Amino acid sequence: MRTLLERWTNEKLLKAKGTFTFLGAKFNKELDDNRTLSQKLRVRASTDHIHTVLDGVKRYIVCLENKKCSCGQFQLEELPCAHTLAALRHRNETYENYYSSYYTRESLLRTYEMPVNLLPDESKWNVPQHILDEVVKPPMRDKRQPGRPQKERKPMMK
């Protein structure tokens, strides 16, 4: 398990270091996909911060002040959905103030900068005697077999 964590941490750190956009690669791609989807949407402003976004016959309400969209994606992912990006484009505003700081490259680098502590060879471990004396028993087995129990049939009388 430790080896797997070491490998994952190293791979993710290298990937984060190889990212040259402000957001991590995965989040930058999702934002680009949402930006493409937002191009076909129509926007009607209700106030400075509240917009109605029309996607064919569907209507979505976007509140930029509270960072909410009626589709729920904006609140859940803390990354602007297509509806939010359409409202931002309508206002000639950029998306920089509308995503979570957790998605930035710097945040990703901080996440993976802490190393997984390596263990020496098992022969070099210093294990206290009371731990060595512990006896671990296997779990108790359930006497029932898995699945539906057999139906008990009563003998017929003649």
Side-chain angles (χ1 to χ4, degrees):
M1 186 58 138
R2 182 175 295 277
T3 306
L4 181 64
L5 286 174
E6 290 169 10
R7 186 170 45 95
W8 280 354
T9 302
N10 186 44
E11 286 172 2
K12 303 258 185 206
L13 180 62
L14 291 174
K15 190 172 186 176
K17 283 181 178 180
T19 301
F20 297 104
T21 56
F22 189 72
L23 296 178
K26 175 183 174 184
F27 309 110
N28 206 45
K29 176 168 180 358
E30 187 170 339
L31 202 59
D32 285 342
D33 292 346
N34 287 344
R35 193 176 300 122
T36 302
L37 290 172
S38 75
Q39 298 297 324
K40 65 178 180 159
L41 304 177
R42 293 181 330 192
V43 180
R44 287 191 320 233
S46 178
T47 67
D48 277 348
H49 298 288
I50 299 175
H51 296 76
T52 301
V53 179
L54 304 167
D55 183 6
V57 294
K58 294 183 182 177
R59 248 185 316 192
Y60 298 93
I61 309 300
V62 176
C63 179
L64 296 174
E65 187 175 38
N66 297 333
K67 297 182 179 179
K68 290 185 176 182
C69 177
S70 61
C71 75
Q73 185 181 353
F74 190 23
Q75 303 88 283
L76 183 67
E77 295 182 0
E78 294 186 39
L79 193 68
C81 61
H83 316 112
T84 304
L85 290 171
L88 289 169
R89 187 180 67 247
H90 184 75
R91 284 182 51 157
N92 290 324
E93 193 175 336
T94 60
Y95 62 86
E96 277 79 20
N97 298 325
Y98 295 94
Y99 56 79
S100 174
S101 62
Y102 295 121
Y103 297 143
T104 62
R105 180 181 184 269
E106 287 73 31
S107 183
L108 287 170
L109 287 171
R110 282 194 309 274
T111 300
Y112 299 109
E113 72 185 0
M114 190 176 216
V116 175
N117 294 326
L118 305 175
L119 282 177
D121 185 58
E122 196 171 341
S123 63
K124 306 258 194 253
W125 290 2
N126 184 14
V127 181
Q129 190 60 43
H130 72 279
I131 300 291
L132 290 171
D133 294 340
E134 283 280 326
V135 176
V136 179
K137 295 180 180 176
M140 298 279 290
R141 294 192 73 192
D142 192 11
K143 291 183 172 76
R144 274 187 41 214
Q145 292 293 320
R148 185 176 177 149
Q150 290 277 331
K151 187 173 184 178
E152 290 185 28
R153 299 192 183 265
K154 295 185 182 187
M156 292 182 64
M157 296 187 135
K158 290 188 180 180

